[in-house]
């Protein structure tokens, strides 16, 4: 488990999972790396990252919408992060939401985070399956 760390300023991936599964990566501040999380080989079964379709903030909450695609009829924990404009890693942890996929392996979601974000902030997310395998951002 990699949790609660600051992982930054690496000229290569901040976190590299080359092989194996059940590698939980959650709640870290990951930024300013060549890439935040890299799954290579068969790392974490190449878990799919969530696809975000929109994010808005009213100054008190942030509303994030999108979809996650993985194993059919399974539970997935989505973790959300805020980044400076242009960021594609996970600088500031916003919170999580659990979703359940349908028979085709898809879950659509609208997540409400009790955190505000400013205009221009990039939102990213990871997905973690029931075995503890976490996706890239």
């Amino acid at each position: 488990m990699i949790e609660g760390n600051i992982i930054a300023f690496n000229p290569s991936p901040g976190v590299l999972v080359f092989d194996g599964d059940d590698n939980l990566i959650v709640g870290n501040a990951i930024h300013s790396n060549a890439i935040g999380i890299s799954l290579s080989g068969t790392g974490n079964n190449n878990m799919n990252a969530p696809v975000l379709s929109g994010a808005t903030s009213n100054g008190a909450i942030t509303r994030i919408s999108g979809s996650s695609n993985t194993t059919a009829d399974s539970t997935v924990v989505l973790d959300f992060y805020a980044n400076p404009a242009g960021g594609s890693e996970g600088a500031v942890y916003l919170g999580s939401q659990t979703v359940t996929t349908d028979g085709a392996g898809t879950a659509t979601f609208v997540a409400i985070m009790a955190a505000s974000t400013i205009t221009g902030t990039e939102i990213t997310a990871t997905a973690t399956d029931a075995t503890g395998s976490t996706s890239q951002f």
Side-chain angles (χ1 to χ4, degrees):
M1 175 189 311
I2 301 173
E3 181 176 19
N5 300 287
I6 298 172
I7 302 168
F9 307 110
N10 294 291
S12 54
V15 177
L16 172 63
V17 179
F18 182 74
D19 201 6
D21 53 6
D22 308 339
N23 295 287
L24 180 64
I25 307 161
V26 61
N28 299 287
I30 302 175
H31 63 87
S32 306
N33 301 291
I35 185 172
I37 300 170
S38 178
L39 305 181
S40 297
T42 59
N44 277 359
N45 298 314
N46 291 305
M47 179 74 178
N48 292 325
V51 176
L52 304 183
S53 56
T56 58
S57 181
N58 67 6
I61 63 167
T62 300
R63 180 181 184 269
I64 306 162
S65 57
S67 63
S68 181
N69 191 320
T70 187
T71 306
D73 301 313
S74 65
T75 300
V76 179
V77 177
L78 306 174
D79 289 290
F80 299 94
Y81 300 84
N83 300 278
S88 61
E89 299 179 72
V92 178
Y93 182 67
L94 298 176
S96 66
Q97 178 172 319
T98 301
V99 297
T100 302
T101 62
D102 61 19
T106 301
T108 57
F109 61 85
V110 175
I112 307 296
M113 300 291 109
S116 66
T117 55
I118 59 171
T119 301
T121 298
E122 301 285 338
I123 305 296
T124 56
T126 60
T128 302
D129 66 16
T131 69
S133 293
T134 301
S135 71
Q136 301 180 113
F137 291 103

